[in-house]
Amino acid sequence: MEYPAFEQMVGQLEVAIDQKPVSYRIKVLLLVLVGFGIIALMMAAAGVTLLALVAVPIALWSGGFHAWAAYLWLAKFLLILAIPVWLLIRSTTSALLTRLPVPEGVEVRRSDVPALFDAIDAIRSRMRGPRFHHVLVTDDLNAAVVQRPLFGLFGPSRNYLILGLPLLESLPPAEASAVVAHEYGHLSGAHGRFAAFVYRLRITWATVHGVSRQWQGFGGKALGRLVESYAPYFNAYTFVLARANEYQADAAAAELVGSQATASALKRVDVTSAHYGKFIRQTFRKTLESPTPPDNIAVQWASAATQVCAEEARRWLKRAVAHKAGVADTHPSLRDRLKALQCTAPADLEEVPVWTGGPSAAQAWLGPQLSPVRDRVQARWRDDVRDAWRQRHETVLKQRARLAELCGMTSPTQEQHSERLRLRLDLEALSDFEADLASFAAAYPASVLGPYLEGEWRLSMGDEMGLACLERAMELDADAVKPACEKAFEYLREREDARADAYQERWLQRDRWEQSVHPELRELNVDHELSDPELTDEQRSKVEALVQANHAGVAHAYIARRILPSDATVLTYVLGLELEPAPPRLEMPHEIVSRLADTGGWPVHLIVCTLDGKNAKLKPRLQALPSARIELHP
């Protein structure tokens, strides 16, 4: 199913679940049963096939057929059939029975942090749900519940509550309770166990769907088509159910701690996510100087968690409220979640939660154990990032050595000068970057890199003149449209500038163009229109020189312009080769094509092909073009 059709189906189903929620859940249950029926059919078909593969030779033997040569041949044939069938059974069984991985984190116990477990108990007693078997503290800005049934989809479950220490450091206890209550809402209530089961089943079907695309043979392809037709409907119905469950979990949290605290928690989490992302980016900038990650990141974040710039917080919240959730995210948008909590006025939606003082949830719930927990969490984080941090630092050292080498060159080539600019942009404070950019632009006025890097640099310095530089880059090379629009959009969106929408639309237009043109550029279609090559004298000479230098085995060569149906203005060419007979030609046709195509240095985009087989119909059309032929000399 194509994306637009899937999106339309999701929209229709969201209306259906609002109007008749009970009926909708019954339909999901029936759809789940149909899915198990398909899996049972797959397993039965595979089992019958394996049984037949065993029964055939036994029946032949018992019937008196004892030709050993025939049995050897039959064994090879049956083995070829048995392997894919066995893989089908194994992969499907694995998808059904494989358990989710054990969540990782620092486990805390009631005896160590009684205040945290008292808060959990208070939530559990009011929401009448199952208990958590494990409570883990992690280094993520997140909270979640995980159920691990004993047998993959089935069996008694172990319940895990996962609390991110960065999240607890940034929330007051009431808002942290709203977050935990939301997560607990996924386990309690009428939909809890069924929703968790459907979530695991979505993972299972994603695995089965992926495996089904590899099935071969008539039977395998038939089952694959059955899975392919079922999977989009299952995904759409369960996606909408998962999104509806998010609203119900919000409602459960609001019933427990109040709508205001729940809404404030939702907004603060979004603001803190942006704040934490900025904090982590600044932390990883230290790879430029230090070979090892900091050993006190949790302590650093604890100091920074509530110290959010008011202007940045307002901008981050406004951006989060404006964001529209797509069909790739089972969580509704922040705006929709706040509206469901009766926060409908624009002032309510975009009012940034204010920290009124008092302890954070981490301080209130972890108490004297907060420092030891921080130590253990940041030790795990340091172990997780140590290798990547060291590799990045070593890369920086090599880049600095290379930059020093490039800066010592008195007459660098264009490639060397552009490399120097890129490295300086990544590694230096760039106080004198403008002079270096100006010298590059003066030496290479036709290069798109100069204005693009200048635009990126100026915008990073808060200089709006960078937008004009990016516009110049896009004028020089249309391939710069998407990266330039991304830089401009990011700069303007941060400043809530309405011009950001225009750059987003230009990016989308270019992306749609690429989606239609690039497939035609990559593949040769012999039915496309051809015309005389529109080459400059310099381009023609370069093409002829490359062909002449690599024409071994080629009797005749032709070049023509391909007219793409999606955009007739795109300049792309076909280089058709008429090969010498073999022998005396020693190379295979594909070797000659690869040798020419991989020569490099072609001044235009072209596809190299031989004029035989499916491409034979190109030959008379190329010969009919007056300037298509390339003269070859012995």
Side-chain angles (χ1 to χ4, degrees):
M1 181 181 293
E2 298 294 331
Y3 181 85
F6 182 81
E7 192 173 31
Q8 182 179 10
M9 182 189 296
V10 167
Q12 294 170 346
L13 294 177
E14 286 181 325
V15 175
I17 197 173
D18 286 340
Q19 295 176 345
K20 298 180 179 180
V22 176
S23 174
Y24 186 90
R25 282 177 169 77
I26 292 174
K27 290 180 181 179
V28 172
L29 177 60
L30 293 174
L31 197 61
V32 168
L33 295 176
V34 170
F36 278 115
I38 293 174
I39 292 176
L41 177 62
M42 291 161 44
M43 300 291 282
V48 168
T49 303
L50 280 181
L51 183 62
L53 293 177
V54 174
V56 167
I58 293 176
L60 290 174
W61 182 270
S62 61
F65 184 78
H66 296 178
W68 291 103
Y71 276 108
L72 288 175
W73 177 87
L74 184 62
K76 294 178 182 177
F77 176 74
L78 295 180
L79 184 62
I80 293 174
L81 290 178
I83 289 176
V85 174
W86 168 247
L87 291 176
L88 166 62
I89 293 177
R90 191 182 69 173
S91 60
T92 305
T93 304
S94 176
L96 290 171
L97 299 181
T98 299
R99 302 180 71 187
L100 293 173
V102 177
E104 296 184 356
V106 175
E107 184 161 7
V108 292
R109 304 186 184 280
R110 183 181 298 274
S111 57
D112 297 324
V113 287
L116 171 59
F117 280 84
D118 288 346
I120 295 173
D121 290 343
I123 294 171
R124 180 189 173 199
S125 64
R126 293 184 59 182
M127 300 183 74
R128 300 185 181 88
R131 72 185 184 91
F132 290 113
H133 300 91
H134 303 277
V135 178
L136 306 178
V137 180
T138 69
D139 57 24
D140 298 320
L141 190 101
N142 191 23
V145 294
V146 174
Q147 284 190 310
R148 295 187 72 241
L150 186 60
F151 305 111
L153 285 173
F154 311 101
S157 298
R158 304 290 290 179
N159 300 324
Y160 293 78
L161 173 62
I162 301 172
L163 297 172
L165 182 60
L167 184 67
L168 296 182
E169 299 276 19
S170 63
L171 295 176
E175 293 180 13
S177 294
V179 172
V180 175
H182 171 95
E183 299 302 330
Y184 204 88
H186 289 305
L187 294 182
S188 62
H191 78 272
R193 293 185 65 84
F194 181 61
F197 174 77
V198 168
Y199 169 77
R200 297 192 298 272
L201 193 58
R202 282 172 62 86
I203 298 175
T204 297
W205 266 106
T207 303
V208 173
H209 190 198
V211 171
S212 70
R213 296 175 178 176
Q214 304 172 15
W215 296 339
Q216 300 297 320
F218 175 78
K221 290 183 178 179
L223 290 173
R225 286 193 293 270
L226 181 61
V227 172
E228 194 72 34
S229 62
Y230 169 81
Y233 289 92
F234 174 80
N235 287 337
Y237 271 85
T238 54
F239 171 87
V240 172
L241 179 64
R243 183 170 281 185
N245 289 340
E246 291 296 329
Y247 287 118
Q248 292 184 0
D250 282 345
E255 184 178 351
L256 184 73
V257 302
S259 296
Q260 184 176 356
T262 303
S264 181
L266 289 175
K267 291 192 286 187
R268 196 184 303 274
V269 167
D270 269 289
V271 171
T272 303
S273 294
H275 182 41
Y276 188 65
K278 179 180 177 181
F279 169 80
I280 289 295
R281 288 193 297 273
Q282 291 174 340
T283 298
F284 272 86
R285 287 289 295 175
K286 296 174 183 176
T287 57
L288 299 178
E289 307 299 335
S290 173
T292 57
D295 56 7
N296 63 339
I297 187 171
V299 175
Q300 292 181 31
W301 170 247
S303 300
T306 59
Q307 306 301 313
V308 186
C309 170
E311 179 59 28
E312 283 188 324
R314 187 187 65 81
R315 188 165 65 242
W316 288 332
L317 180 59
K318 186 173 182 179
R319 185 173 66 194
V321 169
H323 174 73
K324 296 180 180 179
V327 293
D329 187 1
T330 55
H331 283 74
S333 69
L334 177 62
R335 175 182 290 272
D336 290 340
R337 295 175 74 177
L338 292 175
K339 285 184 175 181
L341 293 170
Q342 308 303 316
C343 298
T344 55
D348 293 336
L349 290 174
E350 298 179 5
E351 182 181 0
V352 179
V354 178
W355 189 276
T356 56
S360 67
Q363 294 168 330
W365 287 355
L366 300 180
Q369 288 297 311
L370 176 55
S371 182
V373 168
R374 279 177 182 164
D375 290 342
R376 293 169 65 189
V377 167
Q378 61 195 11
R380 291 176 66 94
W381 175 86
R382 191 169 60 251
D383 290 341
D384 289 341
V385 306
R386 180 180 286 111
D387 290 343
W389 187 288
R390 186 185 67 253
Q391 291 171 7
R392 172 57 183 157
H393 181 71
E394 290 173 353
T395 299
V396 168
L397 293 180
K398 293 177 182 177
Q399 289 176 333
R400 283 180 170 158
R402 175 59 177 165
L403 179 58
E405 180 184 351
L406 293 169
C407 290
M409 296 180 180
T410 55
S411 301
T413 64
Q414 181 178 355
E415 183 178 352
Q416 291 167 339
H417 199 162
S418 63
E419 183 183 2
R420 184 175 80 195
L421 290 175
R422 290 183 183 278
L423 289 175
R424 292 194 66 195
L425 193 60
D426 287 341
L427 303 174
E428 294 186 350
L430 306 178
S431 57
D432 60 341
F433 195 50
E434 188 170 8
D436 206 358
L437 282 168
S439 67
F440 182 85
Y444 312 105
S447 173
V448 66
L449 186 65
Y452 178 80
L453 289 182
E454 183 177 358
E456 181 181 358
W457 169 64
R458 289 190 181 279
L459 293 185
S460 70
M461 303 290 286
D463 183 357
E464 191 171 315
M465 287 294 295
L467 295 175
C469 297
L470 293 178
E471 290 288 349
R472 199 156 62 246
M474 290 187 279
E475 291 174 4
L476 288 170
D477 187 350
D479 286 338
V481 168
K482 288 176 69 172
C485 284
E486 288 171 7
K487 295 294 183 184
F489 175 78
E490 181 181 350
Y491 172 83
L492 294 171
R493 184 184 62 169
E494 285 291 325
R495 288 154 181 78
E496 300 176 15
D497 193 310
R499 290 174 293 173
D501 294 338
Y503 281 102
Q504 184 179 42
E505 181 57 31
R506 285 173 70 179
W507 190 97
L508 291 171
Q509 289 177 358
R510 178 66 185 182
D511 186 65
R512 287 191 289 266
W513 180 88
E514 289 180 356
Q515 294 296 326
S516 62
V517 170
H518 281 187
E520 296 178 1
L521 273 175
R522 289 192 297 266
E523 298 182 10
L524 177 63
N525 188 323
V526 296
D527 296 322
H528 286 174
E529 181 184 350
L530 300 179
S531 69
D532 281 312
E534 300 176 17
L535 301 171
T536 65
D537 291 341
E538 182 180 354
Q539 289 173 335
R540 179 84 188 204
S541 297
K542 186 67 177 294
V543 169
E544 290 178 348
L546 288 171
V547 175
Q548 181 65 42
N550 298 274
H551 80 285
V554 179
H556 304 287
Y558 308 86
I559 186 169
R561 183 188 166 199
R562 297 190 295 143
I563 309 299
L564 302 185
S566 58
D567 190 342
T569 65
V570 176
L571 293 177
T572 179
Y573 298 83
V574 56
L575 178 63
L577 308 177
E578 190 177 346
L579 303 183
E580 295 175 346
R585 173 172 56 83
L586 300 178
E587 291 178 289
M588 297 293 290
H590 72 274
E591 293 174 326
I592 296 175
V593 168
S594 296
R595 175 161 50 80
L596 268 161
D598 298 340
T599 296
W602 296 105
V604 292
H605 177 274
L606 55 78
I607 291 179
V608 183
C609 71
T610 57
L611 299 177
D612 54 11
K614 65 179 182 180
N615 300 326
K617 62 190 303 184
L618 290 175
K619 183 176 177 179
R621 296 167 59 195
L622 288 168
Q623 291 175 335
L625 296 174
S627 58
R629 183 159 182 161
I630 296 175
E631 296 295 335
L632 301 178
H633 308 288

